[in-house]
Amino acid sequence: CRCCAEGRRHSSILYSILRSEERAVPPAGPAPRGCPCGSRRRVALRSPQVACKAASAVLVKTLRFVQNVPCFQELPLEEQLLLVRSCWAPLLLLGLAQDRVHLETVESAEPSMLQRILTARQQGEQPPPRAPAPGRPHHGPHLPSAGEIQAIKGFLAKCWSLDISTKEYAYLKGTVLFNPDLPGLQCTQYIEGLQREAQQALNEHVRLIHRGDEARFAKLNVVLSLLRSINANVVAELFFRPIIGAVNMDDMLLEMLCAKL
């Protein structure tokens, strides 16, 4: 009957997401209140080579997971690329949390704007140009601020405090990947249905495994809201620019997506 057919389809999609998560693995808190100036301090990774290598490995694993989802493979290539371009950063952060990748950062030795102005005046030079206003295009190297890094660290700490399981990470990734609200999508209803099924599967799993924690599903959705507050450009600057330079993530994602990872 129709209900049985829908049930089998539902189970098949959920199973494919979990199997994709398994195949993707190769064998083997909030900032303290105070002066807002502190959150604008520029910081860098203490060991950029180590962190960037870890992030690159997680990105490869993440795209392998995406490629192994049959529902994703059924979409046109243009739709696939549009989805990946929009969600690679939150998927990467979920992967970093799942692999327990810790970030060690140090304050940048870059002088502050006030220091540069005072130094220039003492030397009789013209003061440096003002920094571009928020929202305007910024060209050249950009070190993430302490506030931006704290947002990433806060997200990771939240995931670790919840001790998220492999299945929960898989359903969270499915929810992030199948985003029907992106402009330019043609298969909107299909993608919306996949996202809804990922959320339903997460809810059912939580109710089955964590029966004593009625708030866990809401807590896991808080994780998704934290992800939405993190800028993808910050993730690219932090994990890829120190090693690769001014990388074009769109080109790199297209190359990786079309490759056999």
Side-chain angles (χ1 to χ4, degrees), residues 18 30 142 163 186:
L18 287 176
H142 169 70
D163 195 21
Q186 301 298 319

Side-chain angles (χ1 to χ4, degrees), residues 22-45:
E22 294 171 0
R23 290 194 296 268
V25 182
R33 297 185 63 181
C35 175
C37 301
S39 65
R40 293 195 292 267
R41 294 194 311 272
R42 298 298 165 185
V43 295
L45 294 170

Side-chain angles (χ1 to χ4, degrees), residues 8-24 64-74 170-171 174 177-178 190 194 197-198 201:
R8 285 194 299 271
R9 178 177 176 272
H10 177 76
S11 300
S12 176
I13 291 174
L14 304 183
Y15 177 76
S16 69
I17 292 177
L18 287 176
R19 289 294 299 163
S20 177
E21 177 68 16
E22 294 171 0
R23 290 194 296 268
R64 185 183 293 119
F65 160 78
V66 169
Q67 288 177 324
N68 286 331
V69 177
C71 304
F72 181 81
Q73 294 174 348
E74 293 175 2
Y171 296 139
L177 174 63
F178 296 114
Y190 178 67
L194 294 174
E197 289 180 9

Side-chain angles (χ1 to χ4, degrees), residues 203-216:
N203 192 14
E204 291 172 5
H205 173 78
V206 168
R207 290 171 57 188
L208 178 64
I209 304 300
H210 300 275
R211 297 180 181 179
D213 189 356
E214 296 181 358
R216 184 170 181 84

Side-chain angles (χ1 to χ4, degrees), residues 239-253:
F239 291 110
F240 298 106
R241 180 182 285 275
I243 301 299
I244 305 176
V247 59
N248 186 318
M249 291 304 300
D250 283 356
D251 291 344
M252 189 168 77
L253 291 170

